[in-house]
Amino acid sequence: MARAQSQQRTREALQEAAVQEFYAGRWEKTSLDELAASAGVTKQTLLRHFGSKTGLLLQAIVHNAAKGLDQRWSVPQGDVAGAIDNVLDHYEEWGARSLRIGAWLEGGNPMLAKISQAARQVHYDWVEYAFAPQLERLQGQERVRCRAALIALCDVHTWWLLSHDLGLERTQVRATLITAIEALLGAAQSDEA
């Protein structure tokens, strides 16, 4: 039992070292020796646990993503304001990291591209879940169009554009997104009637 706990602490320390270097923008320049030393272990220990530098980062990303998923899926279904609060809470904590990871995962490696696609699918599934009552009322192309617009409005890039590029405060971002989503849903329901 003590050995298993020690190995888990080692894995967590290595993952934390990887995440720190990655988010600091030093990942490409950081060596295996530096990562291991930061976690207080040897390079061989790192390789035994994760196989490679890329393997370490991928496991660190997956480990951190699990934390974010719990928060995202606590969204109240059908509540536009609640969904926006949920997504803003998530992006304020994870948004910059998500954008950095997304850019890195798109780097040309087919395995990494699949992970990036899986992350996008989680967002699509979240939209389906969060807005299920509203989407269930729609049919055919109207549903497809509305779902696509919700995906775009709730995307991390939209949050970044509003909060960073345009410099809006959270209350303004929240109001902008709620207004846009309510108008979209109202128009979609009118078109269906």
Side-chain angles (χ1 to χ4, degrees), residues 128-167:
E128 291 272 352
Y129 178 80
F131 299 101
Q134 292 93 339
L135 290 171
E136 287 170 0
R137 295 182 202 129
L138 305 175
Q139 302 287 322
Q141 286 302 309
E142 191 61 31
R143 185 184 192 290
V144 170
R145 184 187 68 77
C146 188
R147 177 183 174 271
L150 288 168
I151 287 170
L153 287 167
C154 295
D155 189 77
V156 67
H157 293 93
T158 304
W159 163 78
W160 186 267
L161 173 74
L162 294 171
S163 64
H164 290 79
D165 291 355
L166 298 178

Side-chain angles (χ1 to χ4, degrees), residues 73-103:
W73 288 96
S74 68
V75 65
Q77 276 190 307
D79 176 1
V80 173
I84 295 307
D85 289 335
N86 176 278
V87 81
L88 291 179
D89 288 346
H90 178 78
Y91 290 155
E92 286 171 359
E93 183 173 354
W94 301 95
R97 294 177 182 182
S98 296
L99 289 169
R100 184 181 295 266
I101 290 168

Side-chain angles (χ1 to χ4, degrees), residues 19 32 135 145 168 172 175:
V19 165
L32 287 172
L135 290 171
R145 184 187 68 77
L168 299 180
Q172 296 170 308

Side-chain angles (χ1 to χ4, degrees), residues 98-115:
S98 296
L99 289 169
R100 184 181 295 266
I101 290 168
W104 184 77
L105 291 176
E106 293 293 333
N109 180 313
M111 179 186 74
L112 299 179
K114 286 182 181 181
I115 292 171

